[in-house]
Amino acid sequence: MKLSAIISEYNPFHNGHKYQVERVKRETNNAVAAIMSGSFTQRGSAAIYDKFDRCVAALRNGVDLVIELPTVYSLSPAENFAKGGVKTAEALGITDRLCFGTETDDLESLEKAAELFFEESFNNEIKRCMDNGDYYPKAVEKALYTVSPNLGGMVSGSNNILAIEYLKAIKGTAIKPHITKRIGAEHDEKAADGIFTSACHIRELIEKNSDYSVFTPELYGEDFALTERLEKALFYKLRTMPAEKIAELPEVNEGLENRIIEAVKTGRNLGELCESIKTKRYTMARIRRILISALLGITAESANQNPSYIRVLGFNDTGAELLSQIKKHSSLPVIVNVADGYKKLDEIAKKTFDIDIAATDIHSLAFKRIRNSGRDFTNGIIKI
């Protein structure tokens, strides 16, 4: 049995995701595994529902196996997010395709854009743009227009940016790319096209207690997580961290730790804090990732580790067959029972897994009604 992997957040799982899964199965004739972000997302936000509920939604709507993308990668910029996901997919030992959404159906141009990142002249142009004050995504876009004008538009959409990172990450592996052009609303667009809209719009509807049912195949509970509910814990953490520890956080450089220390002295809420820290070089998403990394104890060193385990969240009957094959071919330990699997990890893997456990516990504080801690150990494997 061959496997198509989808690196995802499913925040939450919606009709666009179901459409992609159905197309991937039809076009590749493979089973599908989702390598899904757990408690926190690439934008530095708490996932709106917990990973167990999002796993159930994915399994009920076509995904055969759900694997958790470790927090050190899910809470990362596009390059590290893609790298962690691809290395996890490769470690499964049976992955045939990496499937991802794009704003274009021109795979050839995406591959040409990805190849430029391996050329010194292109990377020098990115550095030049950043030295002139551009943040990284903008610098990449400008460099593309300068070096290859016809490819400049390839990074105009969030899905295309990630697509290029995926193509970079699978270079040198046996995994082949498979793209699905996005339909309906754009990534952040708060508009609808029939039964399709962006996850951003759905989250906004959920937060306003508005009806979102037309856009999702699954309805979730009334309570949902908000990053803002972690404000006091976050302020406590930052106000008690010395500058040298803040400097060790991922994506912190150029003395940003001092800016954070000053901002947290007078900040009153998360939004105000982020605005005080933000500069032209630092996007809001980057600032939020840094702050949540502080709360979770993620360092630049831990974020740069290679994947060291496969954490299975759930599966269906087909997924059970996949799991049997993965256990035979995986280059990493496969964890199904957390208590037993954790004991068998080496010390480096345990440190990374400890961050996943902490992320689940801290995410539980982001609900209106605080949830129990230790849910990684008390919630069993999900079988659909």
Side-chain angles (χ1 to χ4, degrees):
M1 184 183 298
K2 291 186 177 181
L3 172 64
S4 291
I6 299 174
I7 302 168
S8 58
E9 289 188 327
Y10 294 159
N11 187 34
F13 190 95
H14 56 63
N15 290 338
H17 298 133
K18 183 173 183 177
Y19 168 81
Q20 181 195 22
V21 172
E22 289 173 346
R23 279 200 56 173
V24 166
K25 285 194 162 185
R26 185 170 64 249
E27 294 171 2
T28 69
N29 200 32
N30 290 347
V32 170
I35 301 170
M36 185 187 78
S37 298
S39 301
F40 291 88
T41 69
Q42 200 198 2
R43 290 173 175 247
S45 299
I48 198 157
Y49 295 111
D50 75 29
K51 61 190 180 187
F52 306 108
D53 291 337
R54 286 155 43 232
C55 172
V56 169
L59 292 174
R60 284 178 176 168
N61 291 280
V63 174
D64 299 303
L65 176 68
V66 179
I67 293 162
E68 181 174 3
L69 178 66
T71 309
V72 294
Y73 310 120
S74 71
L75 198 65
S76 285
E79 183 177 24
N80 208 41
F81 178 92
K83 190 182 298 181
V86 168
K87 285 185 177 295
T88 299
E90 185 180 19
L92 297 177
I94 62 169
T95 303
D96 171 56
R97 302 290 182 98
L98 182 72
C99 306
F100 44 90
T102 59
E103 280 92 10
T104 178
D105 54 9
D106 186 356
L107 177 59
E108 183 180 358
S109 291
L110 288 170
E111 289 176 323
K112 287 179 180 178
E115 284 295 324
L116 287 174
F117 284 83
F118 298 97
E119 297 181 8
E120 184 178 359
S121 59
F122 180 65
N123 286 292
N124 287 339
E125 184 62 25
I126 293 175
K127 184 178 183 301
R128 187 189 69 79
C129 293
M130 292 186 71
D131 288 343
N132 289 335
D134 289 317
Y135 58 91
Y136 181 73
K138 190 66 179 177
V140 169
E141 184 177 4
K142 284 186 177 180
L144 271 174
Y145 275 115
T146 299
V147 174
S148 184
N150 60 316
L151 296 178
M154 287 293 101
V155 291
S156 60
S158 297
N159 283 302
N160 281 0
I161 293 170
L162 261 178
I164 290 171
E165 295 299 340
Y166 291 143
L167 290 168
K168 287 166 56 182
I170 64 173
K171 185 179 174 66
T173 74
I175 301 173
K176 298 180 286 293
H178 180 277
I179 64 173
T180 303
K181 185 177 180 181
R182 187 183 185 92
I183 58 173
E186 296 300 319
H187 184 74
D188 282 329
E189 191 177 354
K190 295 177 182 179
D193 182 0
I195 63 170
F196 298 103
T197 192
S198 67
C200 178
H201 185 211
I202 295 171
R203 290 193 298 272
E204 184 178 89
L205 292 173
I206 291 168
E207 290 173 15
K208 291 179 177 178
N209 293 314
S210 299
D211 183 16
Y212 63 92
S213 60
V214 69
F215 304 120
T216 62
E218 295 284 327
L219 296 180
Y220 300 83
E222 292 183 4
D223 199 2
F224 53 86
L226 285 177
T227 313
E228 287 68 22
R229 294 186 182 128
L230 301 174
E231 280 176 345
K232 289 184 178 179
L234 182 58
F235 270 80
Y236 166 78
K237 183 69 176 182
L238 290 169
R239 286 185 175 184
T240 56
M241 282 183 77
E244 58 268 25
K245 289 298 181 183
I246 296 177
E248 293 174 0
L249 297 173
E251 302 187 80
V252 171
N253 51 36
E254 300 173 333
L256 185 70
E257 65 272 18
N258 299 314
R259 191 175 181 90
I260 293 173
I261 285 174
E262 289 305 310
V264 80
K265 287 178 181 177
T266 57
R268 295 293 181 268
N269 56 61
L270 181 58
E272 186 179 299
L273 177 63
C274 291
E275 285 293 343
S276 298
I277 299 169
K278 187 178 181 297
T279 69
K280 186 180 179 182
R281 291 285 295 273
Y282 288 81
T283 65
M284 191 63 77
R286 182 175 178 179
I287 296 299
R288 291 171 72 96
R289 285 195 299 267
I290 290 169
L291 300 184
I292 297 297
S293 291
L295 187 58
L296 300 180
I298 300 173
T299 64
E301 182 182 11
S302 60
N304 288 324
Q305 298 284 351
N306 283 328
S308 49
Y309 53 84
I310 304 295
R311 163 75 189 282
V312 178
L313 290 177
F315 52 84
N316 60 17
D317 289 343
T318 300
E321 295 179 39
L322 284 174
L323 188 55
S324 178
Q325 290 189 42
I326 289 168
K327 287 178 177 179
K328 294 176 183 177
H329 298 285
S330 176
S331 59
L332 295 175
V334 179
I335 298 176
V336 178
N337 180 290
V338 172
D340 291 340
Y342 181 83
K343 296 173 185 175
K344 298 174 184 177
L345 297 178
D346 63 30
E347 291 307 308
I348 292 176
K350 282 181 178 177
K351 287 180 180 179
T352 305
F353 203 93
D354 284 340
I355 292 170
D356 290 344
I357 293 168
T360 307
D361 288 347
I362 291 173
H363 185 266
S364 297
L365 303 176
F367 290 87
K368 189 173 183 180
R369 183 178 180 181
I370 293 175
R371 300 184 173 189
N372 294 342
S373 64
R375 298 178 72 233
D376 278 304
F377 295 93
T378 58
N379 279 49
I381 194 77
I382 297 165
K383 299 177 184 177
I384 300 294

